[in-house]
């Protein structure tokens, strides 16, 4: 296997911590719950994309790229981290095609995009197809102008990017004690690249584990197809003799609500539960929805209590700041009139 022969740049300090969450476990009736803290990658506010970008940026540099292009929603963690990664490897031009609802404030990830100096192209209500078309057109224009662009598809989800999570799972396997080596692993699924890497990584390094993806945006069937294809292609890249079919994969699509990026009531409740048991910060778009799946499955007895449960915390907290409207009614807040009292 050639995993360590594929070029990779260093974008984050690794390993990320693996922490036990005993108070949350007790609340859910689980024997043992571990959180893989990939929200703590050290690149530009952290999150899962650092691992994928280590491979994608190495490829960009090898091809002599001097402009990076990618796409996502206005609150995309992937876009923010790509802007950070470009800076960290010394590529000063990063163009972000952001499609979604109109916004009137630069907050959350968008604010970080601005701080990182990304060139933002806003495409109101655009689909992923619209954004990919616009990116390709821009890349062609850049080539005509003598530049060398490198296009990263939405979420950084390519077989090459997925290798980040093959390494992530190898790292997790090294952190686990023998008694925890047949865990039930939960991961949020957006563009499915993280899932693809986990599928291959678990097959190679933790073969007794079981993986449950929780979709944050779409029905299970197309996601399982993408993840199986990427995992199979990723296996070829590293010379591993593994292939996957969509039927091998489990992605639960009962917890994403109506649409990508639209919070759910149970996702918001999961955010509060994690914060108020473990001081753990999740977000409404990815990790809150995924945790709501874990919580519901635990509470309804669908999780075998003898198994260690692992939640891969993929990050997203910078985006939480864009959802003040969901939580502000909970504020325990009062203004203390200390100036009047000190005058008496
Ligand atoms: C915080 C967070 N969690 C999970 C995901 C999902 O990862 P993937 O797109 O690889 O499925 C993303 C993707 O942007 C993310 O930003």
């Amino acid at each position: 296997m050639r995993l360590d022969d594929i070029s990779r740049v260093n974008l984050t300090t690794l390993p990320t911590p693996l922490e036990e969450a005993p108070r949350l476990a007790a609340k859910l009736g689980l024997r043992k719950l571990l959180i893989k803290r990939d929200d703590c990658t050290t690149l530009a506010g952290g999150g899962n994309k650092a691992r994928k970008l280590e491979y994608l940026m190495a490829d960009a540099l090898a091809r002599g790229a001097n402009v990076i292009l990618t796409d996502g929603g206005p609150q995309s963690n992937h876009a923010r981290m790509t802007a950070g990664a470009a800076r960290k490897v010394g590529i000063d031009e990063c163009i972000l095609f952001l499609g979604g609802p109109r916004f009137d404030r630069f907050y959350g990830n968008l604010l970080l995009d601005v701080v990182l100096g990304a060139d933002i192209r806003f495409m109101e209500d655009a689909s992923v197809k619209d954004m990919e078309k616009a990116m390709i057109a821009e890349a062609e224009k850049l080539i005509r102008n003598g530049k060398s662009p490198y296009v990263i598809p939405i979420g950084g989800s390519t077989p090459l990017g997925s290798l980040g999570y093959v390494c992530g799972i190898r790292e997790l396997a090294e952190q686990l004690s023998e008694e925890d080596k047949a865990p039930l692993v939960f991961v949020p699924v957006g563009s499915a690249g993280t899932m693809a890497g986990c599928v291959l990584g678990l097959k190679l390094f933790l073969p007794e584990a079981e993986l449950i993806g929780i979709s944050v945006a779409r029905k299970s069937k197309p996601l399982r197809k993408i993840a199986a294809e990427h995992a199979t292609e990723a296996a070829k890249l590293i010379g591993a003799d593994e292939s996957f079919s969509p039927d091998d994969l489990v992605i639960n699509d009962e917890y994403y609500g109506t649409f990508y990026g639209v919070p759910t009531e149970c996702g918001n409740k999961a955010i509060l539960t994690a914060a108020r048991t473990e001081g753990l910060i999740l977000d409404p778009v990815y990790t809150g929805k995924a945790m709501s799946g874990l919580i519901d499955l635990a509470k309804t007895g669908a999780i075998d209590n003898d198994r260690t449960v692992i939640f891969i915390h993929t990050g997203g907290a910078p985006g939480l700041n864009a959802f003040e409207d969901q939580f502000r009614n909970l504020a325990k807040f009062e203004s203390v009139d200390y100036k009047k009292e000190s005058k008496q």
Side-chain angles (χ1 to χ4, degrees):
M1 194 177 56
R2 298 189 298 269
L3 183 55
D4 292 322
D5 298 339
I6 312 278
S7 310
R8 173 179 174 190
V9 290
N10 177 244
L11 295 177
T12 174
T13 304
L14 296 172
T16 57
L18 181 67
E19 288 182 343
E20 195 160 352
R23 286 166 49 82
L24 182 53
K27 197 170 172 86
L28 305 183
L30 297 174
R31 186 183 52 81
K32 190 170 192 181
L33 173 62
L34 300 170
I35 315 282
K36 178 64 171 158
R37 298 294 306 271
D38 272 14
D39 57 316
C40 298
T41 56
T42 51
L43 175 71
N48 58 336
K49 305 300 172 175
R51 292 190 189 270
K52 294 182 184 183
L53 287 162
E54 288 199 334
Y55 285 97
L56 296 169
M57 285 298 165
D59 190 40
L61 290 175
R63 291 167 192 268
N66 52 21
V67 188
I68 302 291
L69 298 90
T70 199
D71 58 335
Q75 284 301 327
S76 167
N77 298 292
H78 161 70
R80 178 248 309 164
M81 297 197 75
T82 301
R87 290 292 182 189
K88 199 165 165 69
V89 301
I91 297 178
D92 290 333
E93 227 180 312
C94 179
I95 308 179
L96 304 177
F97 290 80
L98 304 181
R102 180 156 285 282
F103 50 87
D104 53 14
R105 287 197 303 137
F106 284 86
Y107 49 14
N109 281 303
L110 258 179
L111 182 60
L112 297 176
D113 297 342
V114 172
V115 169
L116 290 160
D119 181 349
I120 298 167
R121 309 283 166 88
F122 176 60
M123 299 176 63
E124 191 171 354
D125 297 331
S127 67
V128 174
K129 262 198 184 139
D130 295 329
M131 289 187 284
E132 306 254 309
K133 245 167 105 179
M135 270 201 306
I136 301 298
E138 180 67 26
E140 285 166 356
K141 192 170 125 198
L142 287 163
I143 291 169
R144 287 197 296 278
N145 292 338
K147 294 272 194 172
S148 179
Y150 185 85
V151 175
I152 300 180
I154 198 157
S157 284
T158 66
L160 182 65
S162 294
L163 294 183
Y165 268 87
V166 179
C167 290
I169 295 294
R170 178 171 66 181
E171 181 184 299
L172 173 67
E174 284 163 6
Q175 289 171 313
L176 289 174
S177 55
E178 277 314 310
E179 61 175 29
D180 294 325
K181 287 208 167 166
L184 198 54
V185 180
F186 283 82
V187 68
V189 183
S191 56
T194 304
M195 173 92 187
C198 290
V199 166
L200 178 56
L202 290 173
K203 188 77 182 258
L204 296 173
F205 303 112
L206 275 176
E208 286 175 51
E210 221 180 293
L211 180 65
I212 300 184
I214 305 284
S215 170
V216 302
R218 272 199 282 168
K219 288 285 173 207
S220 172
K221 199 172 168 190
L223 288 172
R224 285 186 287 120
K225 183 168 181 288
I226 297 169
E229 282 168 8
H230 284 196
T232 302
E233 286 305 308
K236 283 188 198 149
L237 287 177
I238 58 171
D241 188 19
E242 303 289 352
S243 66
F244 303 90
S245 103
D247 295 339
D248 299 332
L249 274 47
V250 178
I251 298 180
N252 184 314
D253 57 15
E254 282 170 39
Y255 301 100
Y256 71 81
T258 52
F259 204 60
Y260 169 78
V262 178
T264 58
E265 200 180 324
C266 60
N268 287 355
K269 272 194 189 150
I271 290 174
L272 298 178
T273 303
R276 294 173 184 195
T277 51
E278 296 288 346
L280 189 69
I281 304 298
L282 307 177
D283 77 292
V285 180
Y286 296 98
T287 50
K289 286 184 179 179
M291 181 60 87
S292 75
L294 191 166
I295 290 175
D296 189 53
L297 293 170
K299 284 195 167 164
T300 53
I303 295 180
D304 172 1
N305 204 24
D306 286 339
R307 282 188 108 151
T308 296
V309 175
I310 301 178
F311 181 76
I312 302 186
H313 187 338
T314 48
L320 179 61
N321 293 311
F323 288 93
E324 186 216 21
D325 60 322
Q326 301 289 311
F327 299 100
R328 65 170 302 148
N329 65 325
L330 301 176
K332 286 184 193 158
F333 175 87
E334 64 182 85
S335 219
V336 177
D337 195 357
Y338 70 98
K339 289 180 186 162
K340 193 172 149 202
E341 277 170 21
S342 63
K343 271 186 217 148
Q344 283 172 352

